[in-house]
Amino acid sequence: MGQVAEIRQEALSPSFVDNLATVFDIKQVLRATCEKYGFKHFMLAYIPHSENEKLSINAIAITNNWPTEVLGHYEMMGRTECDYLTKIARTRLAPNLEDITGPKIDEPHAELLERYNFQRNGYFPVNNNDGVHLLVLTGATDIMLSDEHLADIQLFATRLVEKSLKIIPSDTQVDTNISQRENEVLQWIAEGKTSAEIATIMSLSEHTVNHYAMLAVQKLECVNRTQAVVRSMRLGLIR
């Protein structure tokens, strides 16, 4: 966890991206990038070139920190938002920044997006032979990026995708949305610590530790903690 400070200082340095080793590292450097430029949320998505495959937000997301409520609402709305991201990935070659607006957004959904600062998106497409990786950074309407900043983040996105392809198996879609706390609990479970011991280490109540563990098990689509730890290791979420 001490790596977070270093991430914040060197999030865009080429040497740092080269040092990423797990999906958790990728999420940390994306969080730091959001913080550096004033964004709140990120999604790294993969969209195949083929238009025959039906896609959804959860299907295209490699990793993200979108709130569960927002992800769930997009899933209920069907393919509208996913189709829009897919269109951007397949038709745009350069990065751009734009507001999330439009008459198709109903009032409850608009209120949800505003509550979580989903008001302006930065899109950074990285084309590969088999598809497009799209980095989406999301924040409030007051975010402004110069052409130089857009170019910096685009370079970062390109390097991040290159590294991600080495970390994440190409046939595995990872959309666990595991939080930093949930990940830390999993790491201590992997060390053989009990809930009571983890509570002491993390300065939390035992109830809170069990809650984080339960969320991690659910997000990883596992039946117990042991299975969740094994799958986390396989996905590179924990070492």
Side-chain angles (χ1 to χ4, degrees), residues 55-59 70-79 82:
L55 303 172
S56 67
I57 289 290
N58 283 327
V70 175
L71 284 169
H73 202 190
Y74 272 128
E75 287 298 304
M76 285 193 306
M77 290 172 63
R79 294 176 56 194
C82 186

Side-chain angles (χ1 to χ4, degrees), residues 3-23:
Q3 197 178 25
V4 176
E6 183 183 356
I7 289 173
R8 288 176 177 163
Q9 295 172 5
E10 304 181 34
L12 298 182
S13 71
S15 60
F16 184 80
V17 173
D18 289 340
N19 291 332
L20 301 181
T22 68
V23 176

Side-chain angles (χ1 to χ4, degrees), residues 62-100:
I62 296 172
T63 188
N64 71 90
N65 71 338
W66 285 23
T68 303
E69 188 178 3
V70 175
L71 284 169
H73 202 190
Y74 272 128
E75 287 298 304
M76 285 193 306
M77 290 172 63
R79 294 176 56 194
T80 303
E81 177 66 10
C82 186
D83 285 346
Y84 186 64
L85 294 181
T86 299
K87 181 179 179 182
I88 287 175
R90 290 173 175 163
T91 61
R92 300 186 186 178
L93 299 177
N96 74 296
L97 185 69
E98 65 180 37
D99 289 342
I100 305 173

Side-chain angles (χ1 to χ4, degrees), residues 171-203:
D171 60 346
T172 301
Q173 290 296 326
V174 180
D175 182 33
T176 58
N177 204 26
I178 296 289
S179 72
Q180 182 173 339
R181 284 294 203 181
E182 292 157 9
N183 184 278
E184 190 173 357
V185 167
L186 282 177
Q187 294 202 50
W188 285 118
I189 292 173
E191 293 288 331
K193 302 296 184 183
T194 65
S195 292
E197 290 172 331
I198 297 171
T200 300
I201 293 169
M202 297 180 64
S203 299

Side-chain angles (χ1 to χ4, degrees), residues 137-153:
L137 303 181
T138 304
T141 54
D142 59 354
I143 292 177
M144 300 297 293
L145 294 178
S146 65
D147 289 343
E148 182 179 359
H149 286 159
L150 287 171
D152 285 344
I153 301 175

